[in-house]
Amino acid sequence: MPEELLPPTAERRPTVRELHGDTVTDHYAWLADRDDPAVLDHIEAENEHTDAVLAPLRGLRDELFEELRGRVRETDTSLPIPRGEWEVYQRTVEGQAYPIYCRRPRGGGEEQVLLDQNELSEGHDYVGIGDLSISPDDRLLAYTIDTDGSEQHTLRVRDLGTGEDLPDVVELVYYGIAWANDSRTLLYTSPDEAMRPWQIWRHRLGDEPYLDQLVVEEPDERFFLGVWRSLDDRWIVISADSRTTSECRLLPADRPASRPVVVEQREHDVQYSVVTAGDRVLMLTNREAPDFRLLDAPIGDGEAIGSWRELVPADPATRWDDLDAVGHLVVVHGRRRMIPVTLVVDLDGGERRELAWDDEVLEVSGSSMAEADPHAYRIEIESPVRPRTWLEIDLVTDERRELRRTPVIGVELDDYVTERRWAPAADGTDVPITIVRRRDVTLDGTAALLVTAYGAYEIGHPASFSHSRLSLLDRGAIVAVAHVRGGGELGREWWEQGRLGAKPNTFGDTVAVTEHLIGQGYASPDRVALWGGSAGGLLVGATISARPDLYAAAVAEVPFVDVVNTMLDEALPLTVIEWEEWGDPRDAEAYRTIRSYAPYETLPTTPPPAMLVTSGWNDPRVGYWEPTKWVARLRETFAHDPDRPLLLRTELGAGHGGPSGRYDSWREVSLINAFLCWRLGLTG
């Protein structure tokens, strides 16, 4: 490699802090100063280096991109959603990177374009839509737009009669907007300097933003605020959530200037969510039920909530995590030992029955339509071998009708198989694994294996369908999703066993899954890769530090790898709320635990495998400097080895989610797949 293509060895500008009697040296702290021209020079040099190393893969990357593009119906229309006299949908056009949001009269009629994201993208490398909301009188569209990936949105309102935006513009808003029933009042969320959504404001159309009225302010830095409009159009819901505690307020949509009513006062470590159904409010809560139970109570004109009645009791074998109201019926979604469970409850009589599903490896979610048949309910299902499919279910007769299936062009899906396996962790805990492969791949210990995992925030790693994954499967790879502790796949205890002081279980489970699959003949020991993003990128870094010998390659997308320094800096976005996930390093024991696995602090003792690391210059969730500093330390520690390249790629015009346009996103995943094919011997 020519010397001029190697990333520069930057002059160190160390900072030293004394904590708990231990000296912490942040060798590359200077890389967090985005105003320093040397920082951008460093990152651009890294990008040039990565592009040079991966240049021989350009043909393979283009091939993978065309394969992915060829499987997708580029000109397509989503399933319409009924809304009053209209049905709303979005469509895409071949060659255009973004969706077009539309509506048309129910029963047929001329289409009206609500918002064309392609037009909004003109002059921008990035454009993301945070929220879209049509006013109750159907005349206005409120939307929020982010043009650099920073998630700092601008709120605008469009007149759907003229297609022109109103003068109303509110800068720096977060996710979450809600119309009042007068179609003139909007509630929106505002973040603080650390990008924590901490205020809900009320805007009256035609007023200057400085006249907006504060509705709710949350002083506790552990809590995020959210706002949305209830499906029955009676309420505006305002939520306050930390990682372990919840509080919801209801504001009558007819009286947006009134005082919101608290559903249940917050109580430490008690979480709940609410859905309104006519004159009742439904609450899914973990009070006296670690994996949640369903309660309901009468609600009148917003002045008070009545006494609670239990509709679905706690079940130690089932985790309930979502609910919808459909007329007098309630649909509750959950999981029982990884298998989806859907329960239908009659609000009038209290009767309960389960809907049956035909596959244990399945993702199930739903959304009711308040204006449709009172018994009709839409459900989305998918699996690694079944593209997302929308069903309409009659909740009384259980009659099912397929409404739409995501097209997959030129692919025979019966050629692929998925299965569920369990791997014993070091402490004897069984860890679930979802595996997908081609039927004709022989399990003789010679195949390439890609392990993916997340393991944080009680978020389950979905066993979903992927158009891009098919290119790896068709080249003989086996893909395994490791549902490690720290996620929510097996209920609250699964999360508790993988957070705070128990966080090392997450990385131990990843190792155990990998070794188990090798031992069971799913992979050749020298053809295994690990892939994760964000908190899953932390998993990649910590696992590689512990077992660099176990993997031939690793991909860490926007990885949260500088855990010690980030958790010590309260001014950074997310830090305070994250203490309930990772621990507060001001506490000596928490500090020792975090430092024991934090990848930037705890490097591997032998050279790591070939690695591709990504970051986003405008990322508000994981600062670009985290992966940049980590790669710099790895380069400093281990001699350059062309057989084990350490590559960093920073998207200079994007944030946490990478590029915003679909074609740029496809090119990014095709680059990652090309890297994996190269390192796993799948290029032949």
Side-chain angles (χ1 to χ4, degrees):
M1 181 70 60
E3 287 293 325
E4 62 269 18
L5 292 179
L6 293 175
T9 301
E11 178 184 357
R12 288 191 190 172
R13 308 179 191 184
T15 62
V16 180
R17 293 170 295 167
E18 298 294 328
L19 182 67
H20 311 306
D22 188 13
T23 300
V24 183
T25 303
D26 188 354
H27 296 271
Y28 289 93
W30 70 276
L31 283 167
D33 183 6
R34 63 183 293 152
D35 294 326
D36 185 344
V39 174
L40 187 57
D41 290 344
H42 180 94
I43 288 175
E44 289 178 336
E46 287 282 5
N47 283 351
E48 291 174 6
H49 170 62
T50 296
D51 290 345
V53 172
L54 298 181
L57 301 181
R58 188 170 293 122
L60 176 59
R61 179 186 183 181
D62 292 345
E63 179 182 327
L64 294 167
F65 173 82
E66 292 302 329
E67 288 177 6
L68 170 55
R69 184 174 184 175
R71 298 185 190 107
V72 177
R73 183 182 292 167
E74 295 184 65
T75 299
D76 200 7
T77 301
S78 70
L79 181 66
I81 300 173
R83 187 187 183 282
E85 298 178 358
W86 302 85
E87 56 184 19
V88 296
Y89 57 95
Q90 65 184 57
R91 58 182 176 83
T92 54
V93 177
E94 182 176 353
Q96 296 186 2
Y98 296 99
I100 303 167
Y101 301 93
C102 307
R103 69 178 179 181
R104 64 189 173 217
R106 290 173 69 171
E110 185 177 350
E111 174 184 274
Q112 181 183 24
V113 173
L114 304 174
L115 199 70
D116 186 339
Q117 195 171 340
N118 299 284
E119 293 180 357
L120 295 177
S121 70
E122 293 178 6
H124 301 289
D125 293 330
Y126 179 101
V127 61
I129 300 296
D131 291 282
L132 288 171
S133 182
I134 300 173
S135 62
D137 65 4
D138 289 322
R139 296 175 57 191
L140 302 169
L141 175 74
Y143 67 97
T144 60
I145 182 172
D146 165 22
T147 56
D148 62 7
S150 66
E151 302 182 51
Q152 298 182 21
H153 295 85
T154 298
L155 170 63
R156 298 182 182 274
V157 179
R158 177 159 296 186
D159 185 324
L160 295 178
T162 65
E164 300 295 325
D165 285 348
L166 301 181
D168 301 75
V169 176
V170 183
E171 301 289 354
L172 190 56
V173 302
Y174 202 70
Y175 300 101
I177 56 177
W179 285 101
N181 283 345
D182 62 7
S183 296
R184 291 296 176 269
T185 305
L186 264 172
L187 275 74
Y188 63 89
T189 310
S190 176
D192 62 14
E193 292 182 355
M195 284 299 291
R196 176 179 72 94
W198 75 304
Q199 293 175 329
I200 304 295
W201 291 83
R202 183 173 59 246
H203 176 73
R204 180 78 177 174
L205 293 185
D207 287 349
E208 294 292 335
Y210 72 85
L211 296 173
D212 292 354
Q213 300 293 309
L214 181 63
V215 179
V216 175
E217 181 174 282
E218 177 54 63
D220 191 329
E221 292 181 284
R222 297 172 301 165
F223 286 81
F224 278 28
L225 293 182
V227 63
W228 64 93
R229 183 179 168 88
S230 69
L231 190 65
D232 61 11
D233 295 327
R234 288 187 58 190
W235 307 98
I236 294 171
V237 185
I238 299 172
S239 65
D241 295 281
S242 77
R243 292 290 177 205
T244 64
T245 306
S246 305
E247 184 177 76
C248 290
R249 296 173 173 89
L250 296 179
L251 177 67
D254 285 331
R255 303 194 307 277
S258 61
R259 176 182 293 231
V261 175
V262 175
V263 176
E264 280 287 298
Q265 294 287 345
R266 71 183 65 175
E267 180 181 336
H268 183 61
D269 283 347
V270 173
Q271 292 176 293
Y272 69 90
S273 59
V274 298
V275 168
T276 59
D279 61 355
R280 307 196 70 80
V281 58
L282 307 166
M283 179 170 69
L284 204 59
T285 179
N286 69 344
R287 179 181 281 114
E288 301 175 1
D291 286 315
F292 292 78
R293 59 185 176 133
L294 178 62
L295 310 176
D296 82 322
I299 180 171
D301 59 2
E303 297 301 323
I305 307 294
S307 299
W308 293 103
R309 169 183 65 159
E310 185 173 75
L311 289 173
V312 178
D315 179 352
T318 306
R319 167 58 190 260
W320 302 112
D321 52 27
D322 196 15
L323 76 155
D324 282 307
V326 189
H328 64 94
L329 301 175
V330 183
V331 184
V332 192
H333 296 283
R335 285 189 177 276
R336 186 176 296 138
R337 195 167 169 80
M338 292 290 294
I339 299 174
V341 178
T342 304
L343 191 66
V344 181
V345 183
D346 191 320
L347 271 175
D348 295 335
E351 295 86 358
R352 303 191 299 267
R353 65 183 181 86
E354 286 189 13
L355 301 181
W357 300 108
D358 60 1
D359 193 342
E360 68 172 18
V361 182
L362 196 67
E363 298 295 324
V364 176
S365 60
S367 61
S368 60
M369 297 175 296
E371 303 165 18
D373 184 299
H375 297 153
Y377 185 68
R378 285 186 181 179
I379 279 185
E380 299 175 24
I381 61 173
E382 68 176 314
S383 79
V385 297
R386 180 187 298 186
R388 181 169 296 181
T389 302
W390 286 261
L391 305 176
E392 185 175 85
I393 299 181
D394 187 308
L395 295 178
V396 175
T397 66
D398 201 22
E399 182 180 353
R400 306 182 184 195
R401 179 167 65 98
E402 183 173 311
L403 301 176
R404 172 179 164 82
R405 179 172 299 200
T406 301
V408 186
I409 299 171
V411 174
E412 181 53 63
L413 293 174
D414 286 341
D415 290 344
Y416 308 91
V417 62
T418 188
E419 56 186 325
R420 177 70 39 75
R421 292 288 182 265
W422 300 75
D427 61 2
T429 301
D430 286 335
V431 180
I433 318 165
T434 300
I435 301 168
V436 59
R437 58 180 173 84
R438 284 189 63 93
R439 290 184 184 275
D440 55 8
V441 170
T442 304
L443 303 181
D444 59 0
T446 64
L449 171 68
L450 173 62
V451 178
T452 70
Y454 187 74
Y457 304 120
E458 203 174 3
I459 296 174
H461 195 314
S464 53
F465 186 84
S466 167
H467 285 78
S468 64
R469 183 197 295 138
L470 296 176
S471 290
L472 297 177
L473 300 179
D474 286 346
R475 286 166 172 78
I478 297 172
V479 178
V481 177
H483 303 283
V484 296
R485 281 176 283 186
E489 289 90 339
L490 293 174
R492 175 53 55 94
E493 185 61 24
W494 200 245
W495 177 48
E496 296 286 3
Q497 291 183 25
R499 75 176 183 117
L500 300 176
K503 189 61 195 174
N505 284 334
T506 301
F507 320 124
D509 288 356
T510 307
V511 170
V513 165
T514 305
E515 292 183 326
H516 178 77
L517 292 173
I518 293 172
Q520 294 296 308
Y522 282 88
S524 168
D526 60 352
R527 300 183 69 197
V528 181
L530 184 61
W531 187 353
S534 194
L538 163 60
L539 175 149
V540 170
T543 304
I544 291 299
S545 289
R547 289 294 306 275
D549 60 302
L550 196 55
Y551 303 94
V555 175
E557 294 190 87
V558 291
F560 176 42
V561 286
D562 192 15
V563 191
V564 171
N565 292 306
T566 295
M567 289 295 97
L568 282 169
D569 190 345
E570 299 177 36
L572 289 175
L574 306 180
T575 290
V576 175
I577 194 174
E578 298 283 280
W579 285 343
E580 291 182 326
E581 177 74 24
W582 313 103
D584 182 351
R586 296 175 302 180
D587 173 79
E589 184 175 352
Y591 169 76
R592 285 192 294 269
T593 300
I594 293 171
R595 194 171 185 188
S596 73
Y597 64 74
Y600 181 61
E601 303 289 340
T602 308
L603 300 180
T605 56
T606 59
M611 296 180 64
L612 176 59
V613 182
T614 71
S615 71
W617 181 246
N618 298 318
D619 191 341
R621 297 172 183 263
V622 176
Y624 71 86
W625 55 85
E626 294 204 26
T628 305
K629 289 163 57 178
W630 181 43
V631 171
R633 285 211 70 192
L634 288 169
R635 289 191 190 286
E636 172 193 54
T637 305
F638 299 102
H640 173 67
D641 182 350
D643 292 330
R644 292 172 175 261
L646 298 175
L647 306 176
L648 174 67
R649 190 78 176 83
T650 300
E651 287 289 341
L652 294 174
H656 197 62
S660 57
R662 57 175 175 167
Y663 295 111
D664 287 342
S665 295
W666 295 350
R667 289 186 181 93
E668 182 179 56
V669 74
S670 296
L671 174 65
I672 292 172
N673 281 343
F675 172 80
L676 290 170
C677 287
W678 172 39
R679 303 313 303 178
L680 295 178
L682 299 173
T683 57

